[in-house]
Amino acid sequence: MKLEFHGAAQTTTGSMHLVEANGLRILLDCGLFQGKRKEAFELNRKMPVNPATLDAVLLSHAHIDHSGNLPSLTRNGFKGKIYCTPPTVDLCDVMLRDSAFLQMRDLHTVNKKRAAQGKRLFELLYGERDVDDVMRHMVPVPLRQPINLGNNVTATFHNAGHILGAALTQIDVRPRTGRTHRLLFSGDLGQPGLPLVPDADHPQGADTLILESTYADRDHPSAADVKEQLLTLVTQTHQARSRLLIPAFSVGRTQQILYYLYQLTQEGRLPPTPVFVDSPLAHKATQIYAKHIGNDDIKAAVLNDSVNPSKFPGLRFVGTPDESKALNDFQGPHVIIAASGMCEGGRVLHHLQRTVGDRASVILIVGYQVADTLGRRIIEKTPRLSILGDTFRLRAQVHAINALSAHADRTALTHWLDGVKSNLTNLFAVHGEPEMVETLCELARARGIRNVTDPAPGQKFDLG
């Protein structure tokens, strides 16, 4: 078995790893790189592997930094199958179309300014027809059901506890002679106790582990802290008669925020507040959550209530672009939840243009912000921000709630690792900034794992 690391190696974005086993070439994830716009455009266009040579893709989950470059794969000659869980198929269908639409819309805005400045125009990465092609390659596979990839290679998905449909990916390679080698890829490992998805499984028997390290150096606050911080910020918004703007991922994070706001409403602690979810994708994703969570699961009832306007007074889902623009003139205290979570595209950009300069308003960051994204510059309180080609002074208040993260923290990572490490010989730390990767490596070495590595982009390893 050979491994080759491309995306999410010493960074947190663009997840992509190549496995070669028994003559097969298998890609783990095919995510979009997110960061500086020009650099991201160039990286996403240069596929590090020849798509036509790949036999299969095993997709961990639907977040765009893991799935978002699949259309480029099929556009450039991939003919195999893309295996993932049934919820991931449904989520990719809406998320990849949304990605294509946002690229087209944002590219139009940026290129209009670049043309006026005499600069070279950016090209569209992919369109909706390319997404149609991707969906024809998708094969839904339930958790814990083996997939025969041929050549004595099988794959199995296990629950990752991250977002709906997120999976740990297990690959078993049986050579002609000798014992089977088991590879386990975490994708994004979830934080235990998330309100809408079960905790991650602990698959046994892995020889090699590829493990994310996003929050390897810290622990998240408790869920109780989330509610108290949300209550404080909404109350502050009422006192100032201002806006609380929450850039949030449409899948997973938005549903969590609504869940906690709903709890506060039911407890009678939250003053009546208009809450606008300005993301058609979030609305569609919420419907997919409801479809896949079993009716006999208490979490389904909680989810359905927390996104039901009749049971959550003040909640409104914003549909058309005109309705979105109308929010700029809304008077009085209110909350806007809008995508994208890293502020690199989507409707949140227009809301940020109207919010960053208002001292009374609050921008609440609720997810990890990749280096060089607008979201990272906001959380670092950069004095001047470029938004859709225009420059704005940051005067709004900026807060962060790390406890909403769906990524495992230090304690959760080490607990999960302890639960799967009995047979481990090799561990590769990925999906983290360099200091996080190194921290995970130290944690793994302290637990007696023999070979621990922080692979660089393009680095190759022969596991025998």
Side-chain angles (χ1 to χ4, degrees), residues 193-195 220-234 244 246 253 256-261 263-264 269-270 364-366 400-405:
L194 294 177
H220 301 321
S222 71
D225 292 335
V226 174
K227 289 173 62 176
E228 295 307 317
Q229 290 183 68
L230 280 173
L231 178 60
T232 297
L233 292 174
V234 174
L244 173 59
I246 307 177
R253 199 60 41 82
Q256 282 181 277
I257 296 166
L258 292 177
Y259 167 77
Y260 287 119
L261 289 174
Q263 279 193 324
L264 288 167
R269 303 172 65 201
L270 191 73
L364 175 60
I365 301 296
V366 295
I401 300 181
N402 291 326
L404 278 165
S405 177

Side-chain angles (χ1 to χ4, degrees), residues 18 58 72 100 113 125 144 150 202 204 221 227 236 263 325 350 359 367 408:
L18 178 65
L58 298 173
S72 294
K113 295 183 181 295
L125 184 61
R144 306 175 193 92
H202 291 78
Q204 300 299 302
K227 289 173 62 176
Q236 179 181 329
Q263 279 193 324
K325 293 175 183 177
H350 300 282
R359 297 183 188 276

Side-chain angles (χ1 to χ4, degrees), residues 161 190-194 199-200 408-409 412 415:
Q191 178 75 355
L194 294 177
D199 292 350
D409 62 12
H415 175 74

Side-chain angles (χ1 to χ4, degrees), residues 104-338:
M104 180 179 64
R105 191 188 65 182
D106 293 344
L107 199 66
H108 175 77
T109 302
V110 171
N111 277 345
K112 189 175 181 180
K113 295 183 181 295
R114 291 181 69 85
Q117 297 167 353
K119 296 181 179 179
R120 180 178 63 85
L121 303 185
F122 292 132
E123 297 178 3
L124 191 66
L125 184 61
Y126 56 79
E128 188 160 352
R129 288 185 180 180
D130 299 305
V131 177
D132 291 337
D133 194 20
V134 168
M135 298 313 300
R136 286 191 285 268
H137 290 258
M138 290 273 190
V139 179
V141 182
L143 293 174
R144 306 175 193 92
Q145 177 177 302
I147 307 162
N148 184 3
L149 298 176
N151 294 11
N152 291 323
V153 179
T154 60
T156 309
F157 293 125
H158 303 273
N159 171 46
H162 176 59
I163 64 167
L164 181 70
L168 310 166
T169 304
Q170 172 186 311
I171 300 177
D172 291 300
V173 180
R174 190 172 73 253
R176 291 181 179 177
T177 60
R179 59 183 292 273
T180 296
H181 190 108
R182 175 166 290 179
L183 168 70
L184 185 62
F185 169 48
S186 70
D188 284 353
L189 186 68
Q191 178 75 355
L194 294 177
L196 302 177
V197 293
D199 292 350
D201 294 341
H202 291 78
Q204 300 299 302
D207 301 282
T208 298
L209 173 63
I210 303 173
L211 179 59
E212 74 132 304
S213 60
T214 312
Y215 286 111
D217 73 336
R218 71 197 69 177
D219 284 331
H220 301 321
S222 71
D225 292 335
V226 174
K227 289 173 62 176
E228 295 307 317
Q229 290 183 68
L230 280 173
L231 178 60
T232 297
L233 292 174
V234 174
T235 301
Q236 179 181 329
T237 300
H238 272 264
Q239 293 171 345
R241 296 188 59 77
S242 62
R243 167 182 293 178
L244 173 59
L245 176 61
I246 307 177
F249 296 111
S250 298
V251 179
R253 199 60 41 82
T254 293
Q255 290 78 21
Q256 282 181 277
I257 296 166
L258 292 177
Y259 167 77
Y260 287 119
L261 289 174
Y262 170 76
Q263 279 193 324
L264 288 167
T265 301
Q266 292 298 104
E267 293 165 4
R269 303 172 65 201
L270 191 73
T273 307
V275 176
F276 300 98
V277 179
D278 191 10
S279 169
L281 174 59
H283 197 187
K284 293 174 183 176
T286 303
Q287 293 171 328
I288 292 172
Y289 263 69
K291 169 185 173 182
H292 285 282
I293 298 179
N295 292 330
D296 57 346
D297 189 333
I298 186 63
K299 293 181 179 180
V302 170
L303 173 67
N304 291 334
D305 286 351
S306 64
V307 297
N308 186 339
S310 67
K311 296 187 178 183
F312 187 163
L315 176 63
R316 306 182 205 177
F317 287 94
V318 180
T320 68
D322 286 341
E323 291 172 342
S324 176
K325 293 175 183 177
L327 294 180
N328 289 325
D329 300 320
F330 190 88
Q331 300 297 313
H334 60 286
V335 177
I336 297 177
I337 305 169

